[in-house]
Amino acid sequence: MTAEVKFVRLECLETEDNGADEVYMHYNGGFMAGIQDIETGGTWNLGVVRNVDGEATVSLFDEDDIDEDDHLGTIIISESEVGLGLRSQSFNGDDANYLLFYRVRPADND
Ligand SMILES: [Ca+2]
Ligand SMILES: [Ca+2]
Ligand SMILES: [Ca+2]
């Protein structure tokens, strides 16, 4: 069985930068979404769908100009989460705090 992940939204509870972060996400190491300006208390509505076969990784980064981009964390999403409704996992790297909401559902076979 193959499942798919629908990424619903990313909530920012605490930015990495002073002021807004410029965030983007990778899925299984490839670019998925961004760059999005987001402030503490802000929400980024995603609506992105990706297939998941077994397990998949999602990484969150903050883009910076004067130094290296910051890796704010990597989570693992599993096909076994299918049908469990709205799920969330957090990214806590570099003292930032983000919450990613997603659903895992059976993939359309047609
Ligand atoms: Ca930064
Ligand atoms: Ca930044
Ligand atoms: Ca940096």
Side-chain angles (χ1 to χ4, degrees), residues 16 64 67-70:
E16 197 279 328
D64 287 337
D67 62 9
E68 295 287 301
D69 290 2
D70 306 310

Side-chain angles (χ1 to χ4, degrees), residues 10 17 20-26 31-38 44 46 60-65 69:
L10 181 73
D17 289 346
D21 281 346
E22 300 76 29
V23 294
Y24 58 95
M25 276 187 279
H26 283 184
F31 178 82
M32 180 168 78
I35 293 170
Q36 174 74 26
D37 287 4
I38 190 164
W44 178 16
L46 292 160
L60 181 69
F61 300 89
D62 168 47
E63 184 207 49
D64 287 337
D65 289 331
D69 290 2

